[in-house]
Amino acid sequence: MHRLYGIESCLPTQTANLNRQSWPCGAVAIAWLTNATLAKWVSCNALRETAGQLLSRCASSEHQDLAADMLKEGLAIVLPIAEGQEVRAYSQLQDQARKQYRGLWSSQFMMPWDLRAKQAGGSASSR
């Protein structure tokens, strides 16, 4: 199973709040990625394997780097533990999306890793 390297998005059922109104950030991210890849040429380059998942950089016929484009749209977050030259560029894309209040950055949301920890019984913090 491939996973996009260096980023994470909302969990499938996760929501964010914009002006006290909830929106399904997980479903929106899934819909964006589905639209970006469905019936299109897709190529993934596995960079490493972690916990049985291939961390990959993927492209489609319309997107040179799916992770980068998700970050530009504000639909993904750079993983704090990721490293490498791509991740530095990813951080810049995330900063631009945040400054432009795109996607998640227009809303209040819980970081996906914090939500997972909370669901597992740990403590979490929100953005």
Side-chain angles (χ1 to χ4, degrees):
M1 175 169 163
H2 288 272
R3 181 181 163 103
L4 293 175
Y5 173 77
I7 67 164
E8 186 156 355
S9 189
C10 289
L11 303 180
T13 59
Q14 186 174 348
T15 59
N17 291 302
L18 175 61
N19 298 328
R20 293 189 223 167
Q21 191 160 15
S22 181
W23 64 278
C25 61
V28 169
I30 290 168
W32 185 94
L33 193 55
T34 300
N35 187 54
T37 59
L38 188 64
K40 295 178 178 80
W41 167 87
V42 176
S43 175
C44 292
N45 179 26
L47 301 175
R48 68 173 65 137
E49 184 175 347
T50 301
Q53 293 183 331
L54 291 174
L55 301 178
S56 303
R57 183 166 183 238
C58 297
S60 75
S61 55
E62 296 178 355
H63 298 275
Q64 185 176 353
D65 184 338
L66 289 165
D69 288 349
M70 288 186 79
L71 289 164
K72 286 179 194 174
E73 295 298 323
L75 296 175
I77 305 127
V78 176
L79 284 168
I81 58 171
E83 55 190 45
Q85 185 174 356
E86 292 95 358
V87 176
R88 284 190 290 280
Y90 286 175
S91 293
Q92 291 174 345
L93 295 172
Q94 176 176 283
D95 291 343
Q96 289 172 1
R98 184 182 294 188
K99 288 176 187 172
Q100 295 169 352
Y101 299 101
R102 296 183 63 91
L104 289 167
W105 306 112
S106 68
S107 304
Q108 292 180 321
F109 66 97
M110 186 175 286
M111 292 296 184
W113 47 86
D114 288 341
L115 180 58
R116 220 178 351 280
K118 182 179 178 184
Q119 291 174 343
S123 62
S125 60
S126 66
R127 179 192 88 75

